[in-house]
Structures are given as structure tokens and as C-alpha cells.
Amino acid sequence: MERGCANALAVAQFLEKHAKVAKVHYPGLKSHPDHALAKRQMKGFGSMLAFDLKGGLPAARRFCDRVQLFLLAASLGGPESLVVLPIYSSHYNMSAEELARVSVTPGTVRVSVGLEDTEDLIADLKQALS
């Protein structure tokens, strides 16, 4: 868990600075609206995060097609890093209004960060976003 949490924080920090990323949803970031609460309640911030890509669904699909180390799969709790588009999986049957209420856009990518080397994860994200 410690490795997954550390990797997720590094990934979130990388994504937050990337020009093609509109927003990162991860309580370990100081920019998250519930960061102070999460810091009081948690030892680590978990290995799950989401981010919204500028360019919406076409950009999110292109990103998911380009990742090489991250697997395109809907799963939780494994040691490998995964990406998935919520609008095609967990949020498939939601209306546009419902999606807006839960802060999911067509460009939202959900990430389960695994135990791989942090530098390898960030290198894969970087090339997939290029």
C-alpha cells in the first residue's frame, strides 16, 4: 500500500503540472478541496486517482490507446497500473447531468496506480500525453 500511495502521489503531481491536463482528482494534492480533511484522516492518500484531459473524449481515448505500461482495464486492488474511461465503464448509464454532479467529464481518465517503478510510470504517461 505504501508503494502504491507513493506512486499515486508522484503520478498526480506529474499530471497536475502537465499542459494537456485540465484537472487532477486526488486527495493527496494540496489543490484538492478535501486535502486538509484527507490529511487528518488518512496515513496515505490511496492509489486511485482521476484526471480530466483538455480535449475531452477524443483526447482521453487517444491517451488510453497510447499507454504502454498502464493496462486499459477496469479493476481495483491489483499490483499493476490500470487506466479506464469512466464514461465507458462505471458511469456508463449516467446522464450528462448526473455525470456533471459527480465531476466526471467525457475526458475523465480513472487511474489505479500500481507498484511499478515511479519513473517508468511517469515516462509512460509522458509519452502517452505527447
Side-chain angles (χ1 to χ4, degrees):
M1 279 307 300
E2 289 174 5
R3 175 70 179 253
C5 290
N7 280 351
L9 180 58
V11 164
Q13 290 170 334
F14 164 77
L15 291 169
E16 188 173 47
K17 294 175 186 169
H18 199 283
K20 292 185 178 179
V21 175
K23 185 172 184 175
V24 179
H25 308 273
Y26 185 68
L29 295 174
K30 291 180 182 176
S31 60
H32 191 279
D34 293 320
H35 175 72
L37 175 64
K39 195 172 178 181
R40 285 193 312 271
Q41 292 182 340
M42 304 168 83
K43 286 185 177 180
F45 299 104
S47 59
M48 298 291 299
L49 62 98
F51 65 97
D52 303 326
L53 280 168
K54 296 175 183 175
L57 183 58
R61 290 180 63 166
R62 186 171 47 253
F63 169 82
C64 288
D65 286 343
R66 294 179 55 115
V67 289
Q68 296 172 0
L69 180 60
F70 287 79
L71 302 173
L72 180 58
S75 179
L76 298 172
E80 64 280 328
S81 293
L82 311 171
V83 296
V84 69
L85 300 179
I87 65 162
Y88 290 148
S89 58
S90 57
H91 294 68
Y92 180 75
N93 288 320
M94 296 177 83
S95 69
E97 295 78 23
E98 291 169 320
L99 290 170
R101 194 168 44 250
V102 296
S103 300
V104 172
T105 72
T108 298
V109 178
R110 187 179 71 213
V111 184
S112 175
V113 182
L115 305 180
E116 300 90 350
D117 182 79
T118 307
E119 291 178 14
D120 292 342
L121 293 170
I122 291 173
D124 191 30
L125 295 170
K126 192 179 290 185
Q127 69 78 26
L129 288 165
S130 65

